[in-house]
Every structure is written in C-alpha cells, then in structure tokens.
Amino acid sequence: MSSPLALITQSVRERVRLDGVDLGSDRDLAKRYVDDAVQRYSERALGGSLPLLADEATAAQQIVATITGYGALQPFFDDPSVEEIWINGPDRVFLIPTN
C-alpha cells in the first residue's frame, strides 16, 4: 500500500487535473487543495480504513512543497539562514549558511 503522503498527493493531483488549475502560480490555492485532501484523508483514517497521520500540519507542508516547490529541498530554499545548497548526489546535499 502507498504511504499516506503519496495517497494524499495523488488525490490533490487528480483534483488539479479535473479542475484544470495551475497550483504552481497560486500557492494559496495549493494550500487549500492540500488542506481539503488532508482533512478528507484524516476523516477516512479515523474510520480505520487508512493509517493515521502523525501530524496533519507537517504532512500538509510536505505535500504543498512536493506539488508546488522543490519537495524535500523546499524548506532549505525558504530558510533565510541558508545561503547556498550544493547537491552532489541523492545522498550528498550540503548547506552553506549565510554569514
């Protein structure tokens, strides 16, 4: 079975295709879509049919970053204390702090 984040992300992407919107240019709309999908998922999970999310807010942030940004790297782009990001491989990422 897919992870909860993957299931929610897939649900949001399906809704985006059906609605014909561009979430890349409207982060607020992306957040609303993701919040709706997380809420629907959590309601189903409370019924016992899906695993519960450990933290809905963190899950929503990760999904928005995956859909509209750079996924796992997005928090580093948003962090003002990070000057540069060096990616030397999938498991070799270096952060250069601002002075």
Side-chain angles (χ1 to χ4, degrees):
M1 175 164 37
S2 296
S3 75
L5 294 182
L7 291 171
I8 297 168
T9 301
Q10 179 182 355
S11 168
V12 172
R13 286 185 172 147
E14 287 173 11
R15 182 174 174 195
V16 166
R17 277 192 295 275
L18 289 173
D19 292 353
V21 296
D22 178 16
L23 297 184
S25 63
D26 191 346
R27 197 165 175 95
D28 291 333
L29 181 61
K31 182 157 176 28
R32 284 196 308 267
Y33 272 41
V34 170
D35 287 345
D36 290 347
V38 167
Q39 182 179 357
R40 283 193 312 273
Y41 178 91
S42 292
E43 289 169 358
R44 290 178 52 207
L46 287 173
S49 62
L50 296 168
L52 292 171
L53 293 171
D55 182 359
E56 290 181 12
T58 300
Q61 287 176 331
Q62 290 173 347
I63 294 166
V64 168
T66 297
I67 291 174
T68 65
Y70 294 97
L73 294 175
Q74 190 62 48
F76 303 124
F77 285 109
D78 295 339
D79 186 345
S81 69
V82 175
E83 175 78 20
E84 294 182 40
I85 302 170
W86 296 356
I87 304 171
N88 293 340
D91 59 346
R92 294 187 48 110
V93 177
F94 300 93
L95 304 175
I96 309 302
T98 58
N99 291 330

